[in-house]
Amino acid sequence: MFMVCMKNQIGFFLIMVLFFTLHPQNVFCGTPPKQGENLPEMSLKAPVSKKDSAYLGIGEKPLFLIQDIDAAVIVLEIIGVYCPVCHKQRPHINRLFHRISKNADLSGKIKFLGISAGATPMEVAYYMKTSRVPYPVLPDEKFNAHKKLNQPLTPYTIVITKDGQIRYAHLGLIQDMDGLFATLKKLADKTPVIKK
C-alpha cells in the first residue's frame, strides 16, 4: 500500500514538472497583449531626466500613462538589461529610432519608450550608457508594469496608437526592421496627434 501511494505521488510530481516545464509562461500568468487588443492601463513613474520627460511630452507629472505620451504612435519595448536577445536587437532599434527622428514628417508623431523588467535605476542607467539608447528607458524594479502586461518574455515590442490600441506586438528579435518602419509610417500618417 505504501509503495502504491509513493508511486502515485512520484507520478503526480513528474506530471507537474512536465507541465510547468512545457508551459512556463502560461502557468503563472496570462498571455502578453496582442495586436488588436487594448493596452492595459498602467501608471508609470516619470523619467528622472527632464530631457526624457520633455521628449515624451508628459510635462512634470510624477506618474503618467502610456496614452499621456505626446505622440500618435508609441513604440514600447519591454526589455531585460541582462537579456542577450535584447542586446542583440538594441543596435537595430537604435537605428530605427534615428531613422524616424531624422524624418521631419515622423519625428513628432512617433515616440519610443523602454521598460526594463526587474531592473534598478542604476542598472538601467548603465544599460542606456553602454548600449547608447537614445530614448527613455524606465526601470521596473518591482515588475509592476511587467505584471500588468502578463509578464512577457523579452524583448517584447509593442506599437500602440494614441487610443491605446495595440497595432503590432512581437516577441524576440525583429528580423524585418524595414517592415516595422513601414508599419510605423503608415500608422503615423493616418493617426492624428491629439494635443492636450
Side-chain angles (χ1 to χ4, degrees):
M1 180 76 169
F2 175 74
M3 289 304 271
V4 171
C5 188
M6 239 355 225
K7 282 182 183 177
N8 287 343
Q9 286 179 342
I10 291 171
F12 177 76
F13 176 75
L14 290 174
I15 289 169
M16 292 308 291
V17 167
L18 280 171
F19 179 75
F20 286 117
T21 305
L22 295 175
H23 303 285
Q25 63 200 43
N26 295 326
V27 173
F28 298 110
C29 57
T31 56
K34 294 184 182 81
Q35 184 174 334
E37 296 178 356
N38 285 326
L39 187 76
E41 191 171 292
M42 54 186 169
S43 190
L44 302 170
K45 218 177 199 181
V48 174
S49 160
K50 289 188 182 199
K51 180 183 166 194
D52 287 346
S53 288
Y55 165 75
L56 296 173
I58 58 170
E60 296 185 14
K61 297 177 181 180
L63 299 171
F64 72 102
L65 303 173
I66 298 288
Q67 292 87 338
D68 291 336
I69 295 172
D70 189 19
V73 181
I74 300 110
V75 179
L76 178 63
E77 195 181 20
I78 311 303
I79 60 153
V81 292
Y82 302 109
C83 161
V85 181
C86 299
H87 283 276
K88 190 173 181 181
Q89 180 157 276
R90 174 60 36 228
H92 304 292
I93 293 285
N94 286 357
R95 278 195 291 278
L96 179 65
F97 170 86
H98 290 302
R99 183 176 179 185
I100 288 167
S101 65
K102 289 175 184 172
N103 184 317
D105 293 334
L106 300 178
S107 63
K109 293 180 177 179
I110 302 169
K111 300 279 175 83
F112 287 66
L113 176 66
I115 295 176
S116 186
T120 65
M122 192 165 74
E123 287 171 319
V124 168
Y126 183 77
Y127 175 81
M128 289 184 72
K129 184 179 176 184
T130 56
S131 300
R132 297 187 176 129
V133 181
Y135 57 85
V137 176
L138 303 176
D140 186 24
E141 196 168 359
K142 294 183 179 175
F143 295 95
N144 293 328
H146 192 243
K147 287 173 188 166
K148 285 270 190 179
L149 296 169
N150 286 327
Q151 304 176 11
L153 300 175
T154 58
Y156 197 71
T157 307
I158 308 170
V159 174
I160 308 129
T161 45
K162 190 69 179 175
D163 59 3
Q165 190 171 33
I166 297 170
R167 303 306 180 111
Y168 172 94
H170 183 85
L171 171 64
L173 193 64
I174 298 169
Q175 300 292 341
D176 184 10
M177 282 293 172
D178 287 334
L180 179 54
F181 175 81
T183 297
L184 292 171
K185 184 179 184 318
K186 186 176 176 184
L187 287 171
D189 287 344
K190 68 179 186 180
T191 309
V193 177
I194 302 164
K195 293 288 180 188
K196 299 182 278 300

